[in-house]
Amino acid sequence: MLAIIIPYYKIKFFEETLKSLANQSDKRFKVYIGDDASPEDPVTILEKYKGQVDFEYHRFGDNLGSYSLTQQWERCIALSKDEQWLMILGDDDVLGKEVISEWYRNFNLFKNKTNVVRFSTIIVNHESQFLTSFYHHPEWENVTDFYFRKIRGITRSSLSEYFFSRKSFLKYKFRDYPVAWHSDDAAWFDFSEGKSIYTINNELVYIRVSDVSISGQQNNLKEKSEATFKFYHYLLTSKVGLFSKFQKEELFKRISKSYLNDKKNIKYFFKISIICFKNNDFKQYCNFILSVLYSLKISLNTLKNKRIF
């Protein structure tokens, strides 16, 4: 059986999420809702969907998500029972009505072959209007190829479109990055355990981007920048063997850029240096040092110009 985990905090689109679950043509799933001490009480809406959706609701006494979203996800998963496959569904995202039926219809095709299953998606706004075309994926795809399609802007990814095995989750858990930025990306590298991701393209998950979603917010850029550095550092230290030479060079460019965006964090400089020396990649290190010196030169020139005027 499947467990759909909803870490609840925002009520604005929550009923649309529940309605999409009530409309599933196949009801072989259980929903677990973990209320992160939200100031917006969902009980009235939940009463409306009793009998339509098989759910359990629990309100936590503290707002854990305010300082660790991944820990909030994990304590919500802990509410679930023995379901072998899990989905973490955002409280503003929506499932197409055949998501569950398609999952079961495809089950024998991916059984024992993967730990991660995803659906096609489309991005919608606060009025449920389509912002993008459909994002389809190869039926089978290794995680490195997928991620490089993502960073090139060819595709996208968000937590709500994935089912993952409980066994792999319990083994690795989520990496606790600020505002959980890239925590889902890291999870697919961990959870997949070298197996390819399986995609079901016959149904959609509707991912909402609005001013109340993390992706749509602009007031957490510092946290996102820190998370981005930590994610690339993880790939270049723990998963480097998965990447081709070209891919490693691209990742190094991105982690270098992340440091240059926050030169005050000297720890980043030393961490990048260690990566280069461990990999005997002195060419990359020279390029990195040159980019740092060039950036410092630009900063000094800018400072001089400000003093002149």
Side-chain angles (χ1 to χ4, degrees), residues 258-273:
S258 181
Y259 164 72
L260 292 172
N261 289 337
D262 187 10
K263 293 187 292 295
K264 293 179 181 178
N265 196 330
I266 194 64
K267 290 187 296 184
Y268 288 1
F269 177 86
F270 289 115
K271 285 184 176 182
I272 292 175
S273 299

Side-chain angles (χ1 to χ4, degrees), residues 6 11-24 27 29-31 33 42-57 94:
I6 303 180
I11 202 168
K12 189 171 183 179
F13 304 106
F14 185 50
E15 184 165 3
E16 291 186 46
T17 301
L18 290 179
K19 186 177 180 180
S20 77
L21 298 175
N23 288 339
Q24 291 300 303
K27 297 296 178 65
F29 62 94
K30 179 74 176 278
V31 179
I33 303 165
V43 170
T44 300
I45 294 176
L46 291 172
E47 287 289 333
K48 182 177 177 179
Y49 285 89
K50 276 186 176 179
Q52 298 183 59
V53 178
D54 182 9
F55 70 84
E56 291 184 13
Y57 168 74
V94 170

